[in-house]
Amino acid sequence: MGLDHFPDRSNWHVPDASMKGPFAPNNIETAFEDLEVIGTLPEDLNGMYVRNGPSPAHAPHGKYHWFDGDGMLHAVRFQGGRATYRNRFVETDGLKAERAAGKALWPGLKERMPEGALPDDAMKNVSNTDVTYHNGKLYSMWYRGGAVYTVDPFTLNTLGKLEHDPRLVGLQISAHSRVDESTGEFMFFAYGNRPPYMHYGVIGADGAVTTFQDVPLPGPRLPHDCAVTPHYTILHDFPLINNPSALAAGRYSLEFHQDWPTRYAVIPRHGGKVQWFEFEPRYMLHVANAWEEVNAKGETEIVMIGTPYAMPRDYDGNLDVRRLLFTIGTQGTDYELYQWRMNLATGETREGVVDDILNSEFPMINTAWQGLKNRYTYNVLMGRPRTLEQPQFAGLVKYDLSNGSAVAYHPGEGFWFSEAPFAPRDGATEEDDGYVVGFVWNGLANRSEVWVTDARDIIQGPVARVIMKQRVPHGFHSCWVREAQLQAAAVA
């Protein structure tokens, strides 16, 4: 049985495709036991898959962008060959205010902001982008940066904001922060349109802020992700920015400066001097992993793997900036798997393509290898966009970084995947001994499912398909919470 807190949506007049079909909002908060399974759920798969995503609670008063919807967490828990489902809205301050008013109060990404207001101030923190687990709680985060909302992992009820330390109050914390499972630390960065333009911090396993410092930038930037190793954190400064004049007028207008380098800041994990490294100009959303290597001379190098946008060229081989901006601005999908190397002793850099054949994004790894040299990444295979602002997540890719090989699984037309985190098998000791788990929209049967795929043999497709009793709107990022972590939180 479901509970819908929000008004009837049958009279919403929203022509945008991002509000229809599997993109359409589903505001019913519910819980289901003993979900139907096609195939057999492995009994050694125990834990919880959680995914965040947008579902607008009220009709937008202007143009709608997929990124505008209110955050909703969807959790599927696996125990002994059975699966249950629960979903809840992230109870942000903005959602509470709009519920009280009975209508949308904030402009969306496509709208002009109020006169004199920066978009950071005028837009609602919808907390719809990423979710991670730390200190016995789920953290829900927003891609534009803002307050992190803490959520009970069992009920999905919102507990409050991560503002127990005064330094966190009003801070625009990025959606893509990192948890080190070996230490229990939460590494984060924050950015915005006012100086100082970036901060870096660490929250310990006990929830206390242990590190907090400014990171110098020449102006407001658009970083998205970060990376961590056992001793360092890597932050990003790309040559993609908002046009300053447009920003001052309350609008977004992207610029890419091909004469500016991509810069990566390497910071000691617990604070200290920032060491900058420069690379060819690119833009990247998501990092797969980073690690430390000691070369033959005894020098430490930082290696980072990610999925930047492919750099389009014109007939003369020059960068086609207009095409790049169009791809980024319309959620186009054209990515490469790429590597950067940074020598901490000499300042030397190296970079290059790992794979420019398969178009993949949303890289996930076995999180026990976070910050360590990993062999495998599990990415979403990106399809050809049918319409603007509707990227199709068409399948799965497994990369073997030890030999540069990859295998891909695509079930054919009519299926739309989600980011699929790695879930270790009970008692696993090998990096790829487990499963990848993720929502799939089955357009042929007009329903949402969760597919469980053997991580060692993804080309065989799912070993089990869990049938959802209600539609799960397309969404963004996810995490896997191990059963041991849930058990520890239950007795805390």
Side-chain angles (χ1 to χ4, degrees), residues 277-352:
F277 294 85
E278 295 188 354
F279 295 92
E280 292 295 318
R282 305 183 77 88
Y283 184 67
M284 175 175 63
L285 294 173
H286 302 122
V287 171
N289 197 20
W291 60 85
E292 301 166 24
E293 286 187 5
V294 178
N295 64 22
K297 297 179 180 180
E299 300 162 342
T300 298
E301 292 185 338
I302 302 293
V303 183
M304 185 170 66
I305 301 284
T307 52
Y309 283 90
M311 303 301 282
R313 302 287 171 177
D314 61 23
Y315 286 111
D316 295 323
N318 301 312
L319 178 63
D320 189 338
V321 173
R322 183 176 180 182
R323 181 177 161 196
L324 175 65
L325 291 173
F326 180 82
T327 300
I328 295 172
T330 60
Q331 298 171 54
T333 58
D334 190 7
Y335 305 102
E336 299 173 333
L337 190 66
Y338 205 84
Q339 181 186 101
W340 298 265
R341 286 179 170 268
M342 296 158 269
N343 188 309
L344 299 184
T346 66
E348 294 177 321
T349 63
R350 287 182 287 161
E351 62 184 298

Coordinates of all heavy atoms in Angstrom, one line a residue, residues 277-352:
F277 N 48.7 20.2 -11.0 CA 49.2 19.5 -12.2 C 48.3 19.9 -13.4 O 47.1 20.0 -13.3 CB 49.2 18.0 -12.1 CG 50.1 17.5 -11.0 CD1 49.7 17.5 -9.7 CD2 51.4 17.1 -11.3 CE1 50.5 17.0 -8.7 CE2 52.2 16.7 -10.3 CZ 51.8 16.6 -9.0
E278 N 49.0 20.2 -14.5 CA 48.2 20.7 -15.7 C 48.2 19.6 -16.8 O 49.2 18.9 -17.0 CB 48.9 22.0 -16.3 CG 48.7 23.2 -15.3 CD 49.2 24.5 -15.9 OE1 49.7 24.4 -17.1 OE2 49.0 25.5 -15.2
F279 N 47.1 19.6 -17.5 CA 46.9 18.6 -18.6 C 46.2 19.2 -19.8 O 45.8 20.4 -19.7 CB 46.0 17.4 -18.1 CG 46.7 16.6 -17.0 CD1 46.5 16.9 -15.7 CD2 47.5 15.5 -17.3 CE1 47.1 16.2 -14.7 CE2 48.2 14.8 -16.4 CZ 48.0 15.1 -15.0
E280 N 46.0 18.5 -20.8 CA 45.2 19.0 -22.0 C 43.8 19.4 -21.6 O 43.2 18.7 -20.7 CB 45.1 17.9 -23.1 CG 46.5 17.5 -23.7 CD 47.1 18.7 -24.5 OE1 46.3 19.4 -25.2 OE2 48.3 19.0 -24.3
P281 N 43.3 20.4 -22.2 CA 41.9 20.9 -21.8 C 40.9 19.8 -22.1 O 40.8 19.3 -23.2 CB 41.7 22.1 -22.6 CG 42.7 22.0 -23.7 CD 43.8 21.3 -23.2
R282 N 40.1 19.4 -21.1 CA 39.0 18.5 -21.2 C 38.0 18.8 -20.2 O 38.2 19.7 -19.3 CB 39.5 17.0 -21.0 CG 40.6 16.6 -21.9 CD 41.0 15.1 -21.6 NE 40.0 14.2 -22.3 CZ 40.1 13.8 -23.5 NH1 41.2 14.2 -24.3 NH2 39.2 13.0 -24.0
Y283 N 36.8 18.1 -20.2 CA 35.9 18.2 -19.1 C 35.4 16.8 -18.8 O 35.1 16.0 -19.7 CB 34.7 19.1 -19.5 CG 33.7 19.2 -18.4 CD1 34.1 20.0 -17.3 CD2 32.4 18.7 -18.4 CE1 33.3 20.1 -16.2 CE2 31.6 18.8 -17.3 CZ 32.0 19.6 -16.2 OH 31.2 19.7 -15.1
M284 N 35.3 16.5 -17.5 CA 34.9 15.2 -17.0 C 33.8 15.3 -15.9 O 33.9 16.2 -15.0 CB 36.1 14.4 -16.5 CG 35.7 13.1 -15.8 SD 37.2 12.2 -15.3 CE 37.9 13.3 -14.1
L285 N 32.9 14.4 -15.9 CA 31.9 14.3 -14.8 C 32.4 13.4 -13.8 O 32.5 13.7 -12.6 CB 30.6 13.9 -15.4 CG 29.9 14.9 -16.3 CD1 28.6 14.3 -16.9 CD2 29.6 16.2 -15.6
H286 N 32.7 12.1 -14.1 CA 32.9 11.1 -13.1 C 34.2 10.4 -13.2 O 34.7 10.0 -14.2 CB 31.7 10.1 -13.3 CG 30.4 10.7 -13.2 ND1 29.4 10.6 -14.2 CD2 29.9 11.4 -12.2 CE1 28.4 11.3 -13.8 NE2 28.6 11.8 -12.6
V287 N 34.8 10.2 -12.0 CA 36.0 9.4 -11.8 C 35.7 8.0 -11.5 O 34.7 7.7 -10.8 CB 36.8 10.0 -10.6 CG1 38.0 9.1 -10.2 CG2 37.3 11.4 -11.0
A288 N 36.5 7.1 -12.0 CA 36.3 5.7 -11.7 C 37.1 5.4 -10.4 O 36.6 4.8 -9.4 CB 36.8 4.8 -12.8
N289 N 38.4 5.8 -10.4 CA 39.2 5.5 -9.2 C 40.6 6.2 -9.3 O 40.9 6.7 -10.4 CB 39.5 4.0 -9.0 CG 39.9 3.6 -7.6 OD1 39.8 4.4 -6.7 ND2 40.6 2.4 -7.5
A290 N 41.3 6.3 -8.3 CA 42.7 6.8 -8.3 C 43.5 6.0 -7.3 O 43.0 5.4 -6.4 CB 42.7 8.3 -7.9
W291 N 44.8 5.9 -7.5 CA 45.7 5.2 -6.6 C 47.1 5.8 -6.7 O 47.4 6.6 -7.5 CB 45.7 3.7 -6.9 CG 46.2 3.3 -8.3 CD1 47.5 3.2 -8.7 CD2 45.4 3.1 -9.5 NE1 47.5 2.8 -10.1 CE2 46.2 2.8 -10.5 CE3 44.0 3.2 -9.7 CZ2 45.7 2.5 -11.8 CZ3 43.5 2.9 -11.0 CH2 44.4 2.6 -12.0
E292 N 48.0 5.3 -5.8 CA 49.4 5.7 -5.7 C 50.3 4.6 -6.3 O 50.1 3.4 -5.9 CB 49.8 6.1 -4.3 CG 48.9 7.2 -3.7 CD 49.1 7.2 -2.2 OE1 50.2 6.8 -1.6 OE2 48.2 7.7 -1.5
E293 N 51.3 5.0 -7.1 CA 52.2 4.0 -7.6 C 53.6 4.6 -7.3 O 53.9 5.8 -7.5 CB 52.1 3.8 -9.1 CG 50.9 2.9 -9.5 CD 50.9 2.5 -10.9 OE1 51.8 2.9 -11.6 OE2 49.9 1.9 -11.4
V294 N 54.6 3.7 -7.0 CA 56.0 4.1 -6.8 C 56.7 3.6 -8.0 O 56.7 2.4 -8.3 CB 56.6 3.6 -5.5 CG1 58.0 4.0 -5.4 CG2 55.8 4.1 -4.3
N295 N 57.4 4.5 -8.8 CA 58.1 4.1 -10.0 C 59.5 3.6 -9.7 O 59.9 3.5 -8.5 CB 58.1 5.3 -11.0 CG 58.9 6.5 -10.5 OD1 59.8 6.4 -9.6 ND2 58.7 7.7 -11.1
A296 N 60.2 3.3 -10.7 CA 61.5 2.7 -10.6 C 62.5 3.6 -9.8 O 63.5 3.1 -9.2 CB 62.1 2.3 -11.9
K297 N 62.3 4.9 -9.9 CA 63.2 5.8 -9.2 C 62.8 6.1 -7.7 O 63.4 6.9 -7.0 CB 63.2 7.2 -9.9 CG 63.7 7.1 -11.4 CD 63.7 8.4 -12.0 CE 64.2 8.4 -13.5 NZ 64.2 9.7 -14.1
G298 N 61.7 5.4 -7.3 CA 61.2 5.6 -5.9 C 60.3 6.8 -5.8 O 60.0 7.2 -4.6
E299 N 59.8 7.4 -6.9 CA 59.0 8.5 -6.9 C 57.5 8.1 -6.9 O 57.1 7.2 -7.6 CB 59.3 9.4 -8.1 CG 60.7 9.9 -8.2 CD 61.1 10.4 -9.5 OE1 60.4 10.0 -10.5 OE2 62.1 11.1 -9.7
T300 N 56.7 8.8 -6.1 CA 55.3 8.5 -6.0 C 54.5 9.2 -7.2 O 54.7 10.4 -7.4 CB 54.7 8.9 -4.7 OG1 55.3 8.2 -3.6 CG2 53.2 8.6 -4.6
E301 N 53.7 8.4 -7.9 CA 52.8 9.0 -8.9 C 51.4 8.7 -8.5 O 51.1 7.6 -8.0 CB 53.1 8.3 -10.3 CG 54.4 8.7 -10.9 CD 54.6 8.1 -12.3 OE1 53.9 7.2 -12.6 OE2 55.4 8.7 -13.0
I302 N 50.5 9.7 -8.8 CA 49.1 9.5 -8.6 C 48.5 9.1 -10.0 O 48.8 9.8 -11.0 CB 48.4 10.8 -8.1 CG1 49.0 11.2 -6.8 CG2 46.9 10.6 -8.0 CD1 48.7 10.3 -5.6
V303 N 47.8 8.1 -10.0 CA 47.1 7.6 -11.3 C 45.6 7.8 -11.1 O 45.1 7.4 -10.1 CB 47.4 6.2 -11.6 CG1 46.8 5.8 -12.9 CG2 48.9 5.9 -11.6
M304 N 44.9 8.4 -12.0 CA 43.5 8.6 -11.9 C 42.9 8.2 -13.3 O 43.3 8.5 -14.3 CB 43.2 10.1 -11.7 CG 41.7 10.4 -11.4 SD 41.3 12.0 -10.8 CE 41.9 13.0 -12.2
I305 N 41.8 7.4 -13.1 CA 41.0 6.9 -14.3 C 39.6 7.6 -14.2 O 39.0 7.6 -13.2 CB 40.9 5.4 -14.2 CG1 42.2 4.7 -14.2 CG2 40.0 4.9 -15.4 CD1 42.9 4.7 -15.6
G306 N 39.1 8.0 -15.4 CA 37.8 8.6 -15.4 C 37.2 8.5 -16.8 O 37.8 8.0 -17.7
T307 N 36.0 9.1 -17.0 CA 35.3 9.1 -18.2 C 35.0 10.5 -18.7 O 33.8 11.0 -18.7 CB 34.0 8.3 -18.1 OG1 33.2 8.8 -17.0 CG2 34.3 6.8 -17.8
P308 N 36.0 11.2 -19.2 CA 35.7 12.6 -19.7 C 35.0 12.5 -21.1 O 34.9 11.5 -21.7 CB 37.1 13.1 -19.9 CG 38.0 11.9 -20.2 CD 37.4 10.8 -19.4
Y309 N 34.4 13.7 -21.5 CA 33.8 13.8 -22.8 C 34.9 13.6 -23.9 O 36.0 14.1 -23.7 CB 33.2 15.2 -23.0 CG 31.9 15.3 -22.3 CD1 31.8 15.8 -20.9 CD2 30.7 15.0 -22.9 CE1 30.6 15.9 -20.3 CE2 29.4 15.2 -22.3 CZ 29.4 15.6 -21.0 OH 28.2 15.8 -20.3
A310 N 34.6 12.9 -24.9 CA 35.4 12.9 -26.1 C 35.5 14.3 -26.7 O 34.5 15.0 -26.7 CB 34.9 11.9 -27.1
M311 N 36.7 14.7 -27.2 CA 36.9 16.0 -27.7 C 36.6 16.0 -29.2 O 37.5 15.6 -30.0 CB 38.3 16.5 -27.3 CG 38.6 16.4 -25.8 SD 37.5 17.5 -24.8 CE 38.2 19.1 -25.2
P312 N 35.5 16.6 -29.6 CA 35.1 16.5 -31.1 C 36.1 17.4 -31.9 O 36.5 18.5 -31.4 CB 33.7 17.0 -31.1 CG 33.6 17.9 -29.9 CD 34.4 17.2 -28.8
R313 N 36.4 17.0 -33.1 CA 37.3 17.7 -34.0 C 36.6 18.1 -35.3 O 35.7 17.3 -35.7 CB 38.5 16.9 -34.3 CG 39.3 16.4 -33.1 CD 40.0 17.6 -32.4 NE 40.6 17.2 -31.1 CZ 41.4 18.0 -30.4 NH1 41.7 19.2 -30.9 NH2 41.9 17.6 -29.2
D314 N 37.0 19.2 -35.9 CA 36.4 19.5 -37.2 C 37.3 18.9 -38.3 O 38.2 18.1 -38.0 CB 36.4 21.1 -37.4 CG 37.8 21.7 -37.3 OD1 38.8 21.0 -37.5 OD2 37.8 22.9 -37.0
Y315 N 37.0 19.2 -39.5 CA 37.7 18.5 -40.6 C 39.2 18.8 -40.7 O 40.0 18.1 -41.2 CB 37.1 18.9 -42.0 CG 35.8 18.2 -42.2 CD1 34.6 18.9 -42.2 CD2 35.7 16.8 -42.4 CE1 33.4 18.3 -42.4 CE2 34.5 16.2 -42.6 CZ 33.3 16.9 -42.6 OH 32.1 16.3 -42.8
D316 N 39.6 19.9 -40.0 CA 41.0 20.3 -40.0 C 41.7 19.8 -38.7 O 42.9 20.1 -38.5 CB 41.2 21.8 -40.1 CG 40.7 22.4 -41.4 OD1 40.9 21.7 -42.4 OD2 40.0 23.5 -41.4
G317 N 41.0 19.1 -37.9 CA 41.6 18.5 -36.7 C 41.6 19.4 -35.5 O 42.1 19.1 -34.5
N318 N 40.9 20.6 -35.6 CA 40.8 21.5 -34.5 C 39.6 21.2 -33.6 O 38.6 20.6 -34.1 CB 40.6 22.9 -35.1 CG 41.7 23.4 -35.9 OD1 42.9 23.2 -35.6 ND2 41.4 23.9 -37.1
L319 N 39.7 21.5 -32.4 CA 38.7 21.2 -31.4 C 37.4 22.0 -31.8 O 37.4 23.2 -32.1 CB 39.1 21.7 -30.0 CG 38.0 21.5 -28.9 CD1 37.6 20.0 -28.7 CD2 38.5 22.1 -27.6
D320 N 36.3 21.3 -31.9 CA 35.0 21.8 -32.3 C 34.3 22.2 -30.9 O 33.5 21.4 -30.4 CB 34.2 20.8 -33.1 CG 32.9 21.4 -33.6 OD1 32.4 22.5 -33.1 OD2 32.4 20.9 -34.6
V321 N 34.6 23.4 -30.5 CA 34.1 23.9 -29.2 C 32.5 23.9 -29.2 O 31.9 23.5 -28.2 CB 34.7 25.2 -28.8 CG1 34.0 25.8 -27.5 CG2 36.2 25.1 -28.6
R322 N 32.0 24.4 -30.3 CA 30.5 24.5 -30.3 C 29.8 23.2 -30.2 O 28.8 23.0 -29.4 CB 30.1 25.2 -31.6 CG 28.6 25.4 -31.8 CD 28.3 26.2 -33.0 NE 26.9 26.4 -33.2 CZ 26.3 27.0 -34.2 NH1 27.1 27.5 -35.2 NH2 25.0 27.2 -34.3
R323 N 30.4 22.2 -30.8 CA 29.8 20.8 -30.7 C 30.0 20.3 -29.3 O 29.1 19.6 -28.8 CB 30.5 19.9 -31.8 CG 29.9 18.5 -31.8 CD 30.6 17.7 -32.9 NE 30.5 16.3 -32.7 CZ 31.3 15.4 -33.4 NH1 32.2 15.9 -34.2 NH2 31.1 14.1 -33.2
L324 N 31.1 20.5 -28.7 CA 31.4 20.0 -27.4 C 30.4 20.7 -26.4 O 29.7 20.0 -25.6 CB 32.8 20.4 -26.9 CG 33.1 20.1 -25.5 CD1 33.1 18.6 -25.2 CD2 34.5 20.6 -25.1
L325 N 30.1 22.0 -26.5 CA 29.2 22.6 -25.6 C 27.8 22.2 -25.8 O 27.0 22.0 -24.9 CB 29.3 24.2 -25.8 CG 30.6 24.8 -25.3 CD1 30.6 26.3 -25.7 CD2 30.7 24.6 -23.8
F326 N 27.4 21.9 -27.1 CA 26.1 21.4 -27.4 C 25.9 20.0 -26.8 O 24.9 19.7 -26.2 CB 25.9 21.3 -28.9 CG 24.5 20.7 -29.3 CD1 23.4 21.6 -29.3 CD2 24.4 19.4 -29.7 CE1 22.2 21.1 -29.7 CE2 23.1 18.9 -30.0 CZ 22.0 19.7 -30.0
T327 N 26.9 19.2 -26.8 CA 26.8 17.8 -26.2 C 26.7 17.9 -24.7 O 25.8 17.2 -24.2 CB 28.1 17.0 -26.6 OG1 28.3 16.9 -28.0 CG2 28.1 15.6 -26.0
I328 N 27.5 18.7 -24.1 CA 27.4 18.9 -22.6 C 26.0 19.5 -22.2 O 25.4 19.0 -21.3 CB 28.5 19.7 -22.1 CG1 29.9 19.0 -22.3 CG2 28.3 20.0 -20.6 CD1 31.1 19.9 -22.0
G329 N 25.6 20.5 -22.9 CA 24.4 21.3 -22.6 C 23.1 20.5 -22.8 O 22.1 20.8 -22.2
T330 N 23.1 19.5 -23.7 CA 21.9 18.8 -24.0 C 21.9 17.4 -23.5 O 21.1 16.5 -23.9 CB 21.7 18.7 -25.5 OG1 22.8 18.1 -26.2 CG2 21.5 20.1 -26.1
Q331 N 22.9 17.1 -22.6 CA 23.0 15.8 -22.0 C 23.4 14.7 -23.0 O 22.9 13.6 -23.0 CB 21.8 15.3 -21.2 CG 21.5 16.2 -20.0 CD 20.1 15.9 -19.4 OE1 19.9 14.8 -19.0 NE2 19.3 16.9 -19.3
G332 N 24.1 15.1 -24.0 CA 24.6 14.2 -25.0 C 25.6 13.2 -24.4 O 26.1 13.4 -23.3
T333 N 25.8 12.1 -25.1 CA 26.6 11.1 -24.5 C 27.7 10.7 -25.5 O 27.5 10.0 -26.5 CB 25.8 9.8 -24.2 OG1 25.1 9.3 -25.4 CG2 24.7 10.1 -23.2
D334 N 28.9 11.1 -25.2 CA 30.1 10.8 -26.1 C 31.3 10.9 -25.1 O 31.9 11.9 -24.9 CB 30.2 11.8 -27.2 CG 31.3 11.3 -28.2 OD1 31.8 10.2 -28.1 OD2 31.6 12.1 -29.2
Y335 N 31.7 9.7 -24.6 CA 32.7 9.6 -23.6 C 33.8 8.7 -23.9 O 33.7 7.8 -24.8 CB 32.1 9.1 -22.3 CG 30.9 9.9 -21.8 CD1 29.6 9.5 -22.0 CD2 31.0 11.2 -21.2 CE1 28.5 10.2 -21.6 CE2 30.0 11.9 -20.8 CZ 28.7 11.4 -20.9 OH 27.6 12.1 -20.5
E336 N 35.0 8.9 -23.3 CA 36.1 8.0 -23.4 C 36.5 7.5 -22.0 O 36.2 8.2 -21.0 CB 37.3 8.7 -24.0 CG 37.1 9.2 -25.4 CD 38.2 10.1 -25.9 OE1 38.9 10.7 -25.1 OE2 38.4 10.1 -27.2
L337 N 37.2 6.4 -21.9 CA 37.9 6.0 -20.7 C 39.3 6.5 -20.8 O 40.0 6.3 -21.8 CB 37.9 4.5 -20.5 CG 38.3 4.0 -19.1 CD1 37.3 4.5 -18.0 CD2 38.4 2.5 -19.1
Y338 N 39.8 7.3 -19.8 CA 41.0 8.1 -19.9 C 41.8 7.9 -18.6 O 41.3 7.7 -17.5 CB 40.6 9.5 -20.1 CG 41.6 10.4 -20.8 CD1 41.7 10.4 -22.2 CD2 42.5 11.2 -20.1 CE1 42.6 11.2 -22.8 CE2 43.4 12.0 -20.7 CZ 43.5 12.0 -22.1 OH 44.4 12.8 -22.8
Q339 N 43.1 8.1 -18.7 CA 44.0 8.1 -17.6 C 44.9 9.3 -17.5 O 45.4 9.8 -18.5 CB 44.9 6.8 -17.7 CG 45.9 6.6 -16.5 CD 46.8 5.4 -16.8 OE1 48.0 5.6 -17.1 NE2 46.3 4.2 -16.6
W340 N 45.1 9.8 -16.3 CA 46.1 10.9 -16.0 C 47.1 10.4 -14.9 O 46.7 9.7 -14.0 CB 45.4 12.1 -15.4 CG 44.3 12.7 -16.3 CD1 44.5 13.8 -17.2 CD2 43.0 12.4 -16.4 NE1 43.4 14.1 -17.8 CE2 42.4 13.3 -17.4 CE3 42.1 11.4 -15.8 CZ2 41.0 13.2 -17.7 CZ3 40.8 11.3 -16.2 CH2 40.3 12.2 -17.1
R341 N 48.3 10.8 -15.1 CA 49.4 10.4 -14.1 C 50.1 11.7 -13.7 O 50.4 12.6 -14.5 CB 50.4 9.5 -14.8 CG 49.9 8.1 -14.9 CD 51.0 7.1 -15.5 NE 50.6 5.8 -15.5 CZ 50.9 4.9 -14.5 NH1 51.7 5.4 -13.5 NH2 50.5 3.7 -14.5
M342 N 50.3 11.8 -12.3 CA 50.9 13.0 -11.7 C 52.1 12.5 -10.8 O 51.9 11.8 -9.9 CB 49.9 13.7 -10.9 CG 48.8 14.3 -11.7 SD 47.2 14.6 -10.8 CE 46.4 13.0 -11.0
N343 N 53.3 13.0 -11.2 CA 54.5 12.6 -10.4 C 54.7 13.7 -9.3 O 54.9 14.8 -9.6 CB 55.7 12.6 -11.3 CG 56.9 12.0 -10.6 OD1 57.3 12.5 -9.5 ND2 57.6 11.1 -11.2
L344 N 54.5 13.2 -8.1 CA 54.5 14.2 -6.9 C 55.9 14.7 -6.7 O 56.1 15.8 -6.1 CB 54.0 13.5 -5.7 CG 52.6 13.0 -5.7 CD1 52.2 12.5 -4.3 CD2 51.6 14.1 -6.1
A345 N 57.0 14.0 -7.1 CA 58.4 14.4 -6.9 C 58.8 15.4 -7.9 O 59.5 16.4 -7.6 CB 59.3 13.2 -6.8
T346 N 58.5 15.2 -9.2 CA 59.0 16.0 -10.3 C 58.0 17.0 -10.9 O 58.4 17.9 -11.6 CB 59.5 15.1 -11.4 OG1 58.4 14.4 -12.0 CG2 60.5 14.1 -10.9
G347 N 56.7 16.8 -10.6 CA 55.7 17.6 -11.2 C 55.4 17.2 -12.6 O 54.5 17.8 -13.3
E348 N 56.0 16.1 -13.1 CA 55.8 15.7 -14.5 C 54.4 15.0 -14.6 O 53.9 14.4 -13.6 CB 56.9 14.7 -14.9 CG 58.2 15.3 -15.1 CD 59.3 14.3 -15.4 OE1 59.2 13.2 -14.9 OE2 60.2 14.6 -16.2
T349 N 53.8 15.1 -15.8 CA 52.5 14.5 -16.0 C 52.5 13.6 -17.3 O 53.3 13.9 -18.2 CB 51.4 15.6 -16.2 OG1 51.7 16.4 -17.4 CG2 51.4 16.5 -15.0
R350 N 51.6 12.7 -17.3 CA 51.3 11.9 -18.5 C 49.8 11.7 -18.6 O 49.1 11.6 -17.5 CB 52.0 10.5 -18.5 CG 53.5 10.6 -18.7 CD 54.1 9.2 -18.7 NE 54.2 8.7 -17.3 CZ 54.3 7.4 -17.1 NH1 54.4 6.5 -18.1 NH2 54.4 7.0 -15.8
E351 N 49.3 11.5 -19.8 CA 47.9 11.3 -19.9 C 47.6 10.5 -21.2 O 48.5 10.5 -22.1 CB 47.1 12.6 -19.9 CG 47.4 13.5 -21.1 CD 46.7 14.9 -21.0 OE1 45.5 14.8 -21.0 OE2 47.4 15.9 -20.8
G352 N 46.4 9.9 -21.3 CA 46.1 9.2 -22.6 C 44.8 8.4 -22.5 O 44.3 8.2 -21.4

